[in-house]
Amino acid sequence: MCGPALAPALIVASTAMAAAGQWQGAVYASRTARYRAQVAEQNKQLEREGAIDAIRQGQDQQRQLGRDIASRVGPQTARMAANNVDITTGSAARVIEGTQLIGREDMAALNENIRRQVKSQQINVWNYESEKRSAAAEAKQSKTAGMFAVGTTLLGGATQYAGFKAKLRNG
């Protein structure tokens, strides 16, 4: 065991080391949480850009599908009209209407797929925003918890030191 003269120095040194280690841990936890918040913000921006891109691509696909539908209806109409078939009534009208109906159904399915993709990306944006806020709060809390841990360690060390000094005086 150490001598009485060395004990106070050891108490002070161990208390200081413990407090420094706790503060370092708190700073590290805070920095890590801030980094996660930054990553979440970047991911949020990427998802937002992805949603905008999905809308643009969907609009392009809608235009292309509209052209495809028109390229099917146009030749049907031209062939029937070239054969002197009245395209406004009877089976000729039903063929054209059927082609247009299939085109509308395809367009509706395309719109629904685009809507779902964009909604999924919007949900991801909201989730990343929540993750960012949570990590930012954790960064603040880490330092606060670190300060309390350091304070507790310092008070514990001071109590131990005072107890040692009291023993020396009484003993």
Side-chain angles (χ1 to χ4, degrees):
M1 184 150 174
C2 62
L6 189 58
L10 290 176
I11 292 171
V12 170
S14 69
T15 300
M17 291 297 288
Q22 288 170 330
W23 182 246
Q24 181 59 33
V27 168
Y28 175 78
S30 178
R31 287 181 182 162
T32 300
R34 271 192 271 132
Y35 173 76
R36 285 196 332 268
Q38 290 170 347
V39 169
E41 176 63 23
Q42 289 173 346
N43 288 338
K44 180 181 87 169
Q45 293 304 326
L46 290 172
E47 283 292 333
R48 185 173 283 147
E49 290 168 14
I52 291 168
D53 190 48
I55 291 169
R56 287 183 184 138
Q57 286 180 0
Q59 290 169 339
D60 290 343
Q61 291 171 352
Q62 288 170 331
R63 277 190 293 277
Q64 184 58 46
L65 182 56
R67 289 182 192 115
D68 290 346
I69 295 166
S71 72
R72 284 184 252 147
V73 172
Q76 286 175 342
T77 304
R79 277 193 304 273
M80 287 184 245
N83 290 317
N84 290 324
V85 175
D86 182 4
I87 60 169
T88 61
T89 61
S91 59
R94 284 194 299 277
V95 167
I96 293 170
E97 287 171 7
T99 303
Q100 291 171 333
L101 174 66
I102 291 169
R104 284 191 300 272
E105 289 172 349
D106 290 347
M107 189 67 77
L110 176 62
N111 288 340
E112 181 61 18
N113 289 339
I114 294 165
R115 185 194 68 76
R116 286 180 182 166
Q117 180 180 357
V118 170
K119 182 179 179 181
S120 173
Q121 289 177 298
Q122 287 173 333
I123 289 169
N124 287 343
V125 166
W126 297 326
N127 288 339
Y128 285 128
E129 176 63 23
S130 295
E131 186 178 325
K132 178 185 89 170
R133 289 179 185 193
S134 174
E138 184 181 336
K140 288 179 184 176
Q141 176 57 27
S142 294
K143 283 190 175 179
T144 302
M147 284 188 247
F148 280 110
V150 167
T152 301
T153 299
L154 292 175
L155 286 174
T159 301
Q160 189 177 10
Y161 182 79
F164 178 78
K165 284 293 194 178
K167 272 187 186 178
L168 287 179
R169 275 183 286 211
N170 296 334

